[in-house]
Structures are given as structure tokens and as C-alpha cells.
Amino acid sequence: MSKLIVANWKMNNSFADIQDYVKELRRQVKGDGNIVVCVPSVMLKDFSTSARGIAQAGAQNCHYAEKGAFTGEVSAKMVKDAGATYVLVGHSERRENFNEKNEFLNKKLNSALSCGLKVIFCVGEKLEEKTKYKSVLKKQIIEGFAHVKDFANIIVAYEPVWAIGTGMVATDLDIERAHKFIKSVVKEYFGAVVPVLYGGSVKPSNAKEILANPEVDGVLVGGASLNASDFASIILSR
Ligand code: PGA
């Protein structure tokens, strides 16, 4: 099974970019079910339709409620109906900029799972927490996965906050230690085995080395996924 390669466009690219992006991906890589592009919610329908057979569409967020008075929000079912098969939950930008806490993220995760979405649950320590990364990750995992019975649709993404968008990549040893630790906590507290992706300044020049690490089950790519050729070259590094 090939490793999972996930793009996170964040609030970038436009409707007009979708066709060319998908065309370039088709030109360079073969669709194998393990390529995902998380696009802004409003682009899910267009992207999922254009990218059929080459990449799956992912949402970057969803609300935990099925429906209701939550102006501006979209539910898990809505993003699924719009074409998403995956959703990111707990990205550090949401934890930080939108003050999303573990308990809230746990509700989102459970809501997304109940709709049949695959969840990429992001965890990671901040720079000032680097020396105590284990306790930070453990809390994010234990609180984030409360009440989860079935882990079949959960993928964890380890994204040290200090490595996101900074060009500072975690060392092979940092990655290996954190991934092993995450897997051991999920096993110990939930009796489950989860794949763990690495995210944080992944680019064409370092993807091969990161993906060669046996503890790394794939990558989550922000900046370098905005350009289809760069993203394709990361996919080709598997
Ligand atoms: P980056 O972002 O690749 O630009 O560091 C990763 C992410 O935020 O998921």
C-alpha cells in the first residue's frame, strides 16, 4: 500500500486554478487512492469532480453539529455531500487562531466519523513545548479521541507547530520519536493502530528522506502543495 500524500491548500488557490492543477497531476502521477487534496470547502464539488480517479478531495474543517444556528459554518455531512472523503480536524492554525480546544475537536472528530468521513487528526507541540512534546501530544490524543470506538477511519498527522510554514523541518530522529510515541499512546489508551503522517515544511527536496522513514505513513503538505508540479514531485518521492 503506498503512503498517503495529502495537500492542504489552506485559504489559497482559486476556482480558476483547479483544472490546470488537476491536469498537471494527471500528467505526472498515477491515481492510486492515496492522494488527497484538502481544498477550501466552497471548492470541494468542483475539485472532486475534476480530480476523479487521480486525487480525492478533503475538507479543511467542519462543524460538529448536524445542523443549526451556526452562521458561517458547514457540517460534516455538508462537506461529504460536496465531495469530500477526508477532513482535517485539529490543524494547529485552527487550534491557535480559532481557539479550538481538544474537547471541541473531539466532537468534530466524532461527528465526521459518524458521517463516514476519514479524519486526519492533527497534533503537534509548539516551539516552547519542544522539551515536553510527549505530554502535549498525549493530552491532544487522549482528549481528542475520547469516545472513539472505531479507529479504521482515523489518520493522525504529526505537525510540530514550529515546523509549519517556517522551513524548519523536524529531524529524522524528531519524527521517528514522535511517531513511535503517538502510535504507542493510541495503542495503550485505545487499543488501536493508526497511521501517522508527518507535516511541516515538507517539500520536493526533503520528501524522499522523510517518506523513507518506516515510521512515516505519509505526509501532509501545505505551502509546497499549492503548485501542482511541486506536489506531484512529492508524490513521486514515495
Ligand atoms: P507547510 O504546512 O507544509 O507549509 O509547513 C503544513 C501544514 O500546515 O499542514
Side-chain angles (χ1 to χ4, degrees), residues 85-111:
T85 47
Y86 285 79
V87 61
L88 300 178
V89 173
H91 191 281
S92 63
E93 285 153 15
R94 300 226 43 108
R95 290 178 187 267
E96 197 61 21
N97 303 333
F98 300 92
N99 206 23
E100 296 190 356
K101 303 282 182 238
N102 293 331
E103 200 190 323
F104 180 75
L105 296 170
N106 173 253
K107 287 197 206 173
K108 273 192 202 201
L109 169 99
N110 281 303
S111 164

Side-chain angles (χ1 to χ4, degrees), residues 47-64:
F47 190 89
S48 58
T49 308
S50 300
R52 195 159 289 146
I54 181 80
Q56 302 188 60
Q60 299 171 11
N61 184 34
C62 66
H63 196 269
Y64 67 79

Side-chain angles (χ1 to χ4, degrees), residues 2 25-26 28-35 51 53-55 235 238:
S2 59
L25 278 191
R26 286 193 199 282
Q28 295 205 41
V29 302
K30 274 222 306 278
D32 63 357
N34 279 329
I35 302 167
I54 181 80
I235 296 168
R238 287 187 289 195

